[in-house]
Amino acid sequence: LGDDSAVGINVYNVAGQRIAHLDGTGLGGVASEIVWDTTGIASGTYVYQLEARSRRNGKVEVVSKKLAIVK
């Protein structure tokens, strides 16, 4: 992240249903993590959408990617 940001992550199953929403903050120029307890989430492929909103100027950046959970 270029600026300190409010971060939201939505995780969707292959049917497009949202199965999780995670909130956090990210500091500009510093690696950050948001912990997700996947207890009760089945192994499989999911899509996540990460949205970061700059606290400085309100600019929003959105990234969508796939992830796999293997248990």
Side-chain angles (χ1 to χ4, degrees):
L1 302 171
D3 297 322
D4 293 356
S5 300
V7 178
I9 302 171
N10 288 310
V11 182
Y12 301 91
N13 63 18
V14 293
Q17 299 166 314
R18 187 171 79 175
I19 62 158
H21 176 78
L22 310 162
D23 284 315
T25 56
L27 301 176
V30 178
S32 302
E33 71 177 39
I34 297 173
V35 177
W36 178 26
D37 179 5
T38 60
T39 302
I41 304 294
S43 293
T45 302
Y46 297 87
V47 175
Y48 70 90
Q49 183 178 55
L50 181 142
E51 180 179 284
R53 181 177 304 275
S54 171
R55 293 183 188 249
R56 182 172 55 95
N57 60 17
K59 182 180 176 184
V60 176
E61 293 196 37
V62 178
V63 174
S64 295
K65 299 207 176 202
K66 293 180 183 176
L67 68 93
I69 295 177
V70 180
K71 295 184 176 187

